Structure formats: C-alpha cells, structure tokens
Amino acid sequence: MAIRDTGRAPPHTDYVGFVIRQKGYWEVREAHAVAQLAGHEGLPAGGGHFIDVGAHAGWYSFLFAFHGYAVLAIEPSARNRLAMRATLCMNPLIAPRVTIVPHALGAERAPRRCALRTWNNADGNGVLDCDVDSTSPCGTGARARCSGPACVCEPVTTSTLNRVIQTHLADGPSWRSSAVVAKLDVEGNECAVLRGGSLLFTKLKADYIQYEGLRANTTACMKRHAARYGYRIGTARGQDQNTVMYKI
C-alpha cells in the first residue's frame, strides 16, 4: 500500500502512514473487525458495498475490496487520492472494485467552496473549514488556522452523501440483497455528513456504520440517528474510540 513517509516523527508527518509503516496496519487488520465492534462474529458472507467517508490513503477501502466488496472511497484530499491511485495501480485485481470520489461531504445541498486544512499539524488528516472566502478558500484566513512544517491547505468543493449514493448506487448491482457497510472518519464533521446522508439509512439500510466516538457532539448525534432509524450502538474501542452503529 502506498503511504507518505516524510522522515519526521509525529505529529509532523502523515500519522496514518507512520503507523502503517511501524505496525503494518491501521486500526484493524481485517474487514471483519468492523462487525466485531458490534459484538458480531464477522461480516455477512457474499460481499456487498463499502462506503468509506474520509478514506485517507485507503486502508479500510482496500481491506474491504480484498474482501470482495465494491468500494466508494470518498476522499477530498488530492494528496491522499494520489496515494490510493498508486496502490490500485500496483493491485489491478482489486482496482475495478474501488471507485474514488473526490469530494468533501457536508449537509448543504448546494455545493460550497471550502478549505481542507491539516488538523493537529498532521499531514494527511484534513479538517473541513467552510468559514472562509469562497473565492479564495486557502487565503490568509484558512492558513492562519494551521501552521508548522506539515501545514497544507487545499481548496475543495462539497457535495452530500445522498448525492454520492444517488450517483454511484442508484442502479448499482443487487445492493438491496447484499451487505452495506460504511465508515465515517472526517475529524468532527460526521454529523454534517449524516444530515446530508439520510439515504444511507432509508435506501441502503446500512448494516454497519463505524465512526470515531472521540467528540461528544458526534456521539450525541449518532445516538439520535440510531434511535430514529432503529439501530444499536456497540462498544467504543481504541485511541479514537471507534464505535459501530448496527441494525437491530
């Protein structure tokens, strides 16, 4: 798998790439681990669809692709998408299963021009900032919010998860009879993604939705979505408090 190695120690580097280089994996070693966060033995047999919101360099996307899933890897950072394309170039057997979607996701239906800037000075981790001048998203205002040797700002255009689903899964192969798994890792923007992503529940009826439970607002809105759509929430694990919402 292609990763960036800046030669610097955390936090001034691509932390995900640093951990993969040190340990050989990021957070989970196999796709079944997502279902195990819900207390289940593993994923349903037969593959399905995996929606990776905030794919980064693609660790989860490639795990699920090797497991037979059709993958939507949604990643706004051009640098991270470049790493994913390099991995797919070297792994042609899974390349047809992975569709890279170059969007940041939000709640608003109308596209917006925003800034994607490094978060916590960690190259590769981007936080969406739409409180900027849309004509120059990476002007002085956005850059002032990140600094240091790993500071990167990219102008991005937002879309919604509903629009991505309608574009890529509206008439796709038998998703109604196959498993649907989603992972949301967007540095605190998960609630906005779900406000613009109701089809994940109403149309796709996702079996598992993994998210980071570090932030109180994210945990609260996930509980509201679980109650509204008939899901349960599993036990949080790991340094990022990864948690899975699953269908009752």
Side-chain angles (χ1 to χ4, degrees):
M1 176 179 166
I3 59 172
R4 289 194 302 277
D5 182 1
T6 64
R8 297 191 296 265
H12 305 292
T13 187
D14 176 356
Y15 184 67
V16 174
F18 177 83
V19 171
I20 292 173
R21 183 162 56 87
Q22 294 291 313
K23 294 185 176 181
Y25 69 98
W26 170 250
E27 294 186 337
V28 298
R29 295 178 182 270
E30 58 179 29
H32 285 297
V34 173
Q36 290 164 359
L37 280 175
H40 299 166
E41 184 174 345
L43 295 167
H49 285 81
F50 180 62
I51 302 172
D52 194 356
V53 181
H56 197 277
W59 178 261
Y60 277 83
S61 289
F62 302 138
L63 275 185
F64 275 82
F66 275 112
H67 201 65
Y69 278 65
V71 175
L72 290 180
I74 306 168
E75 174 53 52
S77 169
R79 293 149 60 86
N80 287 340
R81 295 197 305 271
L82 182 63
M84 283 193 282
R85 291 192 183 101
T87 299
L88 293 175
C89 182
M90 296 299 292
N91 293 272
L93 290 180
I94 66 165
R97 300 180 196 148
V98 179
T99 300
I100 299 174
V101 180
H103 289 304
L105 300 186
E108 296 85 0
R109 293 183 181 181
R112 298 181 64 184
R113 289 282 288 169
C114 301
L116 184 74
R117 54 181 174 78
T118 48
W119 175 80
N120 201 25
N121 212 19
D123 186 15
N125 282 359
V127 62
L128 188 65
D129 184 359
C130 292
D131 187 22
V132 294
D133 180 356
S134 61
T135 62
S136 180
C138 285
T140 56
R143 288 190 176 277
R145 296 181 176 92
C146 78
S147 60
C151 178
V152 176
C153 183
E154 299 179 51
V156 297
T157 301
T158 64
S159 184
T160 65
L161 183 54
N162 280 348
R163 188 173 293 117
V164 171
I165 290 171
Q166 289 168 336
T167 299
H168 295 279
L169 293 177
D171 299 310
S174 65
W175 56 262
R176 294 179 185 274
S177 60
S178 60
V180 176
V181 183
K183 186 216 79 183
L184 280 65
D185 186 352
V186 286
E187 307 302 346
N189 200 43
E190 289 83 358
C191 299
V193 170
L194 290 187
R195 286 200 301 273
S198 59
L199 292 180
L200 185 63
F201 301 97
T202 60
K203 179 177 181 178
L204 300 188
K205 297 177 171 51
D207 296 275
Y208 301 99
I209 303 170
Q210 178 176 306
Y211 61 92
E212 286 188 349
L214 284 173
R215 297 169 177 84
N217 65 318
T218 301
T219 299
C221 83
M222 290 297 174
K223 288 181 178 179
R224 291 195 298 270
H225 279 83
R228 179 177 181 181
Y229 294 107
Y231 282 69
R232 289 178 179 159
I233 294 178
T235 303
R237 297 181 188 173
Q239 67 177 18
D240 288 332
Q241 293 292 285
N242 286 330
T243 309
V244 165
M245 181 192 308
Y246 59 98
K247 285 195 303 186
I248 296 176

